[in-house]
Amino acid sequence: MQTRTDLIEDLMGRFPHIPREAVIKEDLLRGGMAFDDSALTDNENGEVKPKSYFIFSFDHRTLPELGTAALRRPPEEIVLTGGPYELRRTVVSVRVNPDSPYRVADSGDGVLRLHLDGRPIADVGLPPMPEYYRHTLSNGKSVMEVAPTIQWGYLIYLTVFRVCQYFGAKEECQYCDINHNWRQHKAAGRPYTGVKPVDEVLEAMEIIERYDTSGASKAYTLTGGSVTSKVDGLAEADFYGRYAKAIEERFPGRWIGKVVAQALPREDVQRFHDYGIRIYHPNYEVWDKRLFELYCPGKERYVGREEWHRRILDSAEVFGARNVIPNFVAGVEMAEPFGFRTVDEAIESTTEGLQFFMSRGITPRFTTWCPEPTTPLGRTNPQGAPLEYHIRLLEAYRATMEANGLSSPPGYGPPGAGNAVFSVSSFMDTLPAAEPVAAE
């Protein structure tokens, strides 16, 4: 029987032009990692930055099934270095799976390492608790609850609406657990604010600004569930836009402002820009027409795939093509029972979508699919997509970008293996490192 070590080493050999760091990172993102108790955090009272569950669970088990990891949280991210594969610094978002062949544990010498099939393959670095997490808002809420940071502190992630108005089996995206994640945190008695008041967000941002003395945070993302009617009496553009307006008035130019929202009509997109947003993520989720209709029934019903794409193209006239960066969920193309049967077919379809956007100057990005167990696709595909799909997607992504003369998108930190901080896929690890600026 082939071990997971055999699988990754086979793919490293077959795709030597893909950084080996990306091979391991994609495998961890699609299949998760386990933690010894010694590798868990002391939540907000310790020295390690804990997992904030900033929008989705990104776990392979529900909270009640995680055992100790539900009480003492795992770290938000880990950084891998060294080991037999001589890994360059690689930042990986933590997705917990107690049954994973990857385990983070003390090797017996006081050093945390990532073990695969029982063999240590990398040293593990943990994110230090940021000073701003040690301070609370005037109402006692934590900064981690209101304005957590990810990507090793680069991005402030503002999930200002914790649920989605695409609700129920006939509307929810079939791979998305935003609504269940809300329910499980409330059931566990954890603080998990449904709609975050603007003044709380501003107060949390003030604390970050005060204590982030190194300036590690460079961007913020406004996001949450889709709004099909209204929240606080506001439609989607004005609901999310009011936060950007308040942030930009209080901290003009301090951070790059980004918003993840539906593909909205041009007049709404213009309002985002007028509020101060500079990067727009109207996520298209999956390229194939049939799969979009099956996996995103709410988006198909309210907007429709062709209209969604037309709005993405229109938004480039407002933000500039380089600043429109729609996400897709890499791997759901191969989800049973409706997905593509072969890696070849899935890559061909996804590359068609990449070419559609990149030929127009728009650079999509992607999140590696985590098959969360409370979602329809997670239940039927607990192993996710084949690792080969993910490696070949990295290959196709870079090739399509280069063929269209594009470079790494703004707002994601530095590109290149050993440099990248984007933690929920390896596309930034796989792109060429930025050329150093020559001295005058």
Side-chain angles (χ1 to χ4, degrees), residues 289 292-293 300 303-311:
K289 183 178 188 298
F292 182 88
E293 292 169 355
E300 175 63 24
V303 181
R305 176 180 178 272
E306 283 67 36
E307 175 66 11
W308 197 282
H309 294 171
R310 188 182 68 79
R311 291 178 179 183

Side-chain angles (χ1 to χ4, degrees), residues 163-353:
V163 294
C164 181
Q165 290 185 346
Y166 291 135
F167 201 82
K170 294 182 179 180
E171 290 192 356
E172 288 179 350
C173 293
Q174 300 295 287
Y175 47 79
C176 176
D177 79 342
I178 184 173
N179 288 330
H180 173 77
N181 196 40
W182 154 261
R183 289 191 292 267
Q184 73 168 356
H185 282 266
K186 298 302 286 186
R190 292 182 172 187
Y192 212 67
T193 306
V195 177
K196 296 179 180 177
V198 174
D199 60 343
E200 289 185 7
V201 170
L202 286 178
E203 188 178 355
M205 301 286 272
E206 287 173 351
I207 294 171
I208 294 174
E209 166 67 2
R210 186 180 316 140
Y211 293 103
D212 180 21
T213 54
S214 67
S217 59
K218 305 291 187 186
Y220 65 84
T221 290
L222 285 164
T223 189
S226 296
V227 178
T228 59
S229 56
K230 291 184 177 181
V231 179
D232 283 354
L234 300 170
E236 187 160 314
D238 290 323
F239 171 74
Y240 286 112
R242 65 178 179 168
Y243 296 90
K245 182 176 186 290
I247 292 168
E248 294 303 325
E249 287 177 350
R250 184 74 61 88
F251 310 100
R254 168 62 180 85
W255 296 282
I256 303 167
K258 308 195 287 185
V259 66
V260 180
Q262 297 191 84
L264 297 174
R266 180 170 176 155
E267 57 269 23
D268 289 338
V269 173
Q270 182 65 55
R271 290 217 292 282
F272 276 145
H273 193 272
D274 293 344
Y275 282 130
I277 293 294
R278 290 297 170 258
I279 296 175
Y280 179 39
H281 301 294
N283 300 340
Y284 68 89
E285 314 296 15
V286 63
W287 174 252
D288 181 75
K289 183 178 188 298
R290 182 178 63 96
L291 295 181
F292 182 88
E293 292 169 355
L294 288 167
Y295 294 167
C296 306
K299 289 172 179 172
E300 175 63 24
R301 173 184 168 190
Y302 281 88
V303 181
R305 176 180 178 272
E306 283 67 36
E307 175 66 11
W308 197 282
H309 294 171
R310 188 182 68 79
R311 291 178 179 183
I312 291 175
L313 301 184
D314 285 350
S315 69
E317 298 176 11
V318 176
F319 279 91
R322 181 163 168 76
N323 298 313
V324 176
I325 309 170
N327 187 66
F328 63 99
V329 184
V332 297
E333 299 93 330
M334 298 198 69
E336 294 181 352
F338 304 114
F340 293 106
R341 298 295 184 180
T342 68
V343 173
D344 285 349
E345 292 173 304
I347 293 295
E348 180 181 1
S349 172
T350 304
T351 303
E352 180 183 287

